[in-house]
Amino acid sequence: MKKIFSVILMMFAILAMVSCDSLNPSERLMVGKWYYSESSMDHDGNKATVESNYEYHDDKTYISNGTVRLVYDGDGVQEVVVLSLAEKGIWSIIDKMQNTNTTDVDIKIVDVSFQGENLTDDRTVIQELVASEKKRLYYDMVIPWKKESMGETSYRIITLNETTCVTVDKDGHKTERRRIK
């Protein structure tokens, strides 16, 4: 009788462990740490470089941390803006679609600097310019970007394996991440 009871108890334990795993095979592949990097240039010669680390957890939550470096050229003066980004949310993969719901976004202006041949040598003017630019960027870039980043998004998965994840958004923009852990 003890053996039968032990076997039944073991079967229930195995069933409980199997039913707790709510990840499908694609989601199991996604769990881990991923690195993303991209550089781009617009038609005016302005440059953007993004680097981020993403952590997808087996409880279907995620966090990401990264930096954005923007370089604006104009009239002999170059403006360099560095932002830090942090996100939290939940995720899933259903029918080759990676779905995320971003629940928290933090964007900070880390640094604003100016350089170039047409830049004044007056430090007071430069400090005032930096302070003014930080304020403008906060209202014109940070606040709208936070609002845009919140909520649900879906990406079509092109490739997902042990080392690489390639997705495409609704506008056709391709993103490639490399596993780091």
Side-chain angles (χ1 to χ4, degrees), residues 48-157:
T49 304
V50 179
E51 290 189 62
S52 292
N53 289 312
Y54 290 82
E55 289 183 37
Y56 294 96
H57 304 126
D58 57 7
D59 65 355
K60 294 189 180 181
T61 61
Y62 80 93
I63 59 171
S64 72
N65 294 290
T67 59
V68 176
R69 184 174 189 269
L70 306 167
V71 180
Y72 302 103
D73 284 319
D75 298 328
V77 176
Q78 189 177 63
E79 177 181 6
V80 179
V81 177
V82 179
L83 305 167
S84 69
L85 309 171
E87 284 184 2
K88 294 179 184 177
I90 57 175
W91 67 278
S92 66
I93 297 176
I94 301 170
D95 296 330
K96 295 197 178 216
M97 295 295 290
Q98 179 186 10
N99 307 297
T100 60
N101 184 3
T102 304
T103 56
D104 186 35
V105 176
D106 187 28
I107 302 172
K108 290 186 171 95
I109 300 169
V110 175
D111 188 38
V112 174
S113 62
F114 294 91
Q115 55 195 13
E117 60 192 44
N118 292 340
L119 187 63
T120 180
D121 290 333
D122 187 339
R123 291 200 185 278
T124 304
V125 171
I126 293 172
Q127 288 173 339
E128 289 172 1
L129 180 61
V130 167
S132 171
E133 189 62 359
K134 283 183 177 181
K135 188 174 186 177
R136 183 192 71 78
L137 288 168
Y138 180 77
Y139 289 104
D140 291 352
M141 183 185 293
V142 172
I143 290 175
W145 200 356
K146 280 183 179 184
K147 288 179 182 176
E148 181 182 306
S149 299
M150 293 292 290
E152 297 179 13
T153 53
S154 293
Y155 307 92
R156 187 168 48 91
I157 297 173

Side-chain angles (χ1 to χ4, degrees), residues 1-55:
M1 186 69 163
K2 278 186 176 181
K3 284 186 178 183
I4 294 173
F5 181 70
S6 295
V7 170
I8 292 172
L9 191 58
M10 190 180 337
M11 287 175 31
F12 276 115
I14 292 171
L15 184 60
M17 286 190 300
V18 170
S19 65
C20 287
D21 186 10
S22 63
L23 300 177
N24 64 42
S26 295
E27 290 170 332
R28 278 191 211 98
L29 274 173
M30 185 60 98
V31 171
K33 293 182 181 181
W34 298 83
Y35 173 76
Y36 165 74
S37 176
E38 179 180 11
S39 294
S40 63
M41 186 179 303
D42 69 12
H43 62 279
D44 293 328
N46 300 315
K47 301 170 195 156
T49 304
V50 179
E51 290 189 62
S52 292
N53 289 312
Y54 290 82
E55 289 183 37

